[in-house]
Amino acid sequence: MKSYNGLYDAMLQVDEIEASIDEAARNKMNRASVRRVLAHKHEQALALRYLILSGQWRPKRHAVNYIQEGSHRKKRNIIKPTWHSEQIVHHMLARQLEKVYGPSVYRYVAGTIKLKSEKKGKGPLFCKRTVNRWIHSSGGRRLYVAELDVSKFFDSVDTEILKGMLRKKIRDRRFLEVLFLVIDSAAPGIPKGYYLSPWFAQIYLSGLDNYIQQQLRPKHYLRFVDNFFLLHPNKRELHRMVRAIMDYAAQKLHLKFNPSRQVYRFEKDGKGRAVNCVGYIIHDNRTTMRKTILKRARGKALRIHKNHRCTVHDAATMLSYKGWFRQTATYNYFQKYVKPNVSIRYCRRRVSKAAKKRREQQKNDRMDRRAQHERHKTAGT
């Protein structure tokens, strides 16, 4: 196994810190605190570099925030790290982790990380298209599906096992010290809300991905965060694979799967069931979406119509729902319950106008920073 060193020195290059500041500031330019840091980016990078080099940088222990997660109506515990300097350090660490683990990420892992080599992220639409392609390439042969889901995955991650995995591939002790400070700041488990958490999840489950591909060898295998989908022509073999996955996860990762796991025959000629894949219901001849998503789209449209007001957030939400309708065979539902209550064209204009205003603000901020830099340069000479 190839191991890596020199990550600490690479992370603390001033240009790397400045690039991390720019990444962390993306989509946060409306915050005054972010604009202040960007106005003095070089000085802030030097100050953060000194804090880490001197060993004074420490992440805070944050209170847990509970939110109502819309897609499943679940309460989720979210931790919000401070933007300066915690989120910037998270981006600094992630840039180095991508060098180490990015090339070995399994092709059909979605919903976790977006590699810089990828033009688009891998979300639910990627999963839907992948499963559809696999089904259509089966040539009409019988296919069985296994759906598995880890119980409370982020809270169940054993941080000592995670640290052991990191030590196997990274030999840079100083880099690991900073990385372990972030891991320990929210232990036990890995926190939802950290920029690094998807990387931790990917690293933790990468061994299981390799075990499934190389030893169990199902016909097709897809993972969306902690949701596993296996497709195979032999039902008995698929049951054996599911038991092997559960044993591996329990013994080596200390993870448990939800008892709601299922193995079933895929829908064909009126027999079997459709695949319930991250919001999409994939049938043999069409793809629809979950009823909960349909109801939420209808409810959002009714609220906008009733209030006679559409905020930028509401407009962006409706455009997102329109994407779901466009990718599924639900146009009649859209025509009946959504279109009479909200104008998608108006939503596009609303979002476009807000994006243009944001770009102009960013352009003005860049010009101000450039002018300030020139003044400092002139004063120095």
Side-chain angles (χ1 to χ4, degrees):
M1 178 188 294
K2 182 179 178 181
S3 59
Y4 291 78
N5 209 339
L7 300 178
Y8 183 80
D9 293 332
M11 177 182 74
L12 291 182
Q13 296 290 327
V14 176
D15 58 344
E16 273 288 306
I17 301 176
E18 291 181 353
S20 300
I21 292 174
D22 290 334
E23 284 185 6
R26 197 171 296 151
N27 301 323
K28 299 182 180 70
M29 295 297 294
N30 58 335
R31 302 183 190 178
S33 59
V34 174
R35 292 199 297 268
R36 282 196 298 269
V37 171
L38 289 174
H40 306 279
K41 183 167 62 175
H42 186 72
E43 294 82 355
Q44 293 289 341
L46 291 174
L48 186 54
R49 183 176 187 272
Y50 171 77
L51 280 177
I52 296 175
L53 278 171
S54 62
Q56 297 180 46
W57 184 82
R58 290 287 185 278
K60 297 179 181 178
R61 188 81 180 184
H62 297 279
V64 176
N65 298 277
Y66 292 93
I67 64 169
Q68 191 80 21
E69 201 272 324
S71 61
H72 299 94
R73 297 295 179 185
K74 291 181 180 178
K75 280 189 176 180
R76 299 202 181 273
N77 52 326
I78 301 295
I79 294 179
K80 299 178 181 179
T82 56
W83 185 82
H84 181 276
S85 58
E86 287 182 86
Q87 291 187 35
I88 296 173
V89 174
H90 292 180
H91 281 264
M92 292 165 59
L93 292 164
R95 287 171 68 87
Q96 304 307 314
L97 288 176
E98 182 165 353
K99 297 177 186 177
V100 180
Y101 294 98
S104 61
V105 172
Y106 174 52
R107 180 182 178 184
Y108 296 114
V109 167
T112 52
I113 55 177
K114 181 180 181 296
L115 301 175
K116 290 182 176 61
S117 59
E118 297 173 347
K119 293 182 180 180
K120 295 182 179 180
K122 295 177 180 178
L125 182 58
F126 169 82
C127 298
K128 173 248 185 186
R129 288 174 173 170
T130 300
V131 173
N132 261 325
R133 186 173 69 252
W134 289 344
I135 289 169
H136 292 148
S137 67
S138 66
R141 292 186 294 273
R142 186 175 298 181
L143 205 60
Y144 294 92
V145 182
E147 296 180 17
L148 299 93
D149 164 37
V150 179
S151 177
K152 298 180 180 179
F153 169 62
F154 282 86
D155 297 328
S156 302
V157 169
D158 190 320
T159 53
E160 293 304 315
I161 294 177
L162 176 61
K163 289 178 184 178
M165 293 176 176
L166 291 163
R167 288 191 191 99
K168 285 182 180 179
K169 207 159 187 179
I170 299 174
R171 292 188 293 114
D172 194 324
R173 179 182 53 81
R174 294 177 299 172
F175 179 83
L176 287 176
E177 286 176 357
V178 180
L179 190 60
F180 291 172
L181 285 174
V182 176
I183 293 173
D184 293 335
S185 67
I190 54 178
K192 293 182 281 290
Y194 276 20
Y195 181 74
L196 280 169
S197 292
W199 275 107
F200 294 150
Q202 171 57 35
I203 293 166
Y204 200 74
L205 292 174
S206 60
L208 181 54
D209 290 335
N210 293 334
Y211 174 71
I212 294 172
Q213 296 172 73
Q214 298 171 12
Q215 297 193 36
L216 301 182
R217 301 173 68 84
K219 180 71 172 177
H220 301 292
Y221 165 55
L222 168 75
R223 177 168 65 82
F224 183 84
V225 192
D226 61 338
N227 294 276
F228 296 71
F229 298 90
L230 289 82
L231 286 75
H232 199 69
N234 188 303
K235 188 175 184 180
R236 183 177 297 177
E237 282 291 307
L238 195 55
H239 275 290
R240 182 188 62 80
M241 293 176 193
V242 169
R243 290 193 295 270
I245 291 170
M246 293 173 60
D247 291 341
Y248 182 102
Q251 294 171 14
K252 297 194 175 183
L253 301 177
H254 299 171
L255 296 176
K256 293 182 179 179
F257 282 89
N258 281 325
S260 58
R261 61 187 178 277
Q262 303 172 62
V263 176
Y264 55 88
R265 178 184 173 182
F266 176 67
E267 179 182 273
K268 196 71 178 175
D269 300 328
K271 298 179 181 179
R273 289 172 46 192
V275 181
N276 188 344
C277 182
V278 290
Y280 292 101
I281 310 298
I282 302 174
H283 298 267
D284 181 37
N285 56 355
R286 70 192 187 283
T287 300
T288 60
M289 68 175 92
R290 287 179 185 165
K291 290 182 179 179
T292 54
I293 301 175
L294 289 169
K295 290 178 180 178
R296 285 203 307 277
R298 178 182 179 182
K300 173 64 77 173
L302 286 172
R303 284 192 295 273
I304 292 172
H305 179 74
K306 182 179 179 182
N307 296 334
H308 301 288
R309 179 173 176 267
C310 182
T311 64
V312 175
H313 177 75
D314 289 337
T317 302
M318 289 310 306
L319 291 180
S320 176
Y321 284 133
K322 182 62 170 65
W324 283 86
F325 284 111
R326 188 168 58 247
Q327 295 296 332
T328 55
T330 50
Y331 185 70
N332 289 339
Y333 189 97
F334 173 79
Q335 287 283 89
K336 185 175 181 180
Y337 296 111
V338 177
K339 192 173 181 179
N341 295 310
V342 64
S343 169
I344 298 298
R345 183 177 296 178
Y346 171 78
C347 290
R348 287 199 187 99
R349 289 200 304 267
R350 191 89 166 86
V351 171
S352 177
K353 185 177 180 181
K356 183 178 179 180
K357 183 178 179 181
R358 187 166 58 249
R359 287 194 299 269
E360 290 176 352
Q361 179 64 48
Q362 292 174 356
K363 182 180 178 181
N364 293 335
D365 289 340
R366 285 195 299 269
M367 293 174 65
D368 291 342
R369 291 198 300 271
R370 193 177 298 118
Q372 187 177 16
H373 178 71
E374 290 296 329
R375 286 197 299 268
H376 284 311
K377 188 176 180 181
T378 305
T381 56

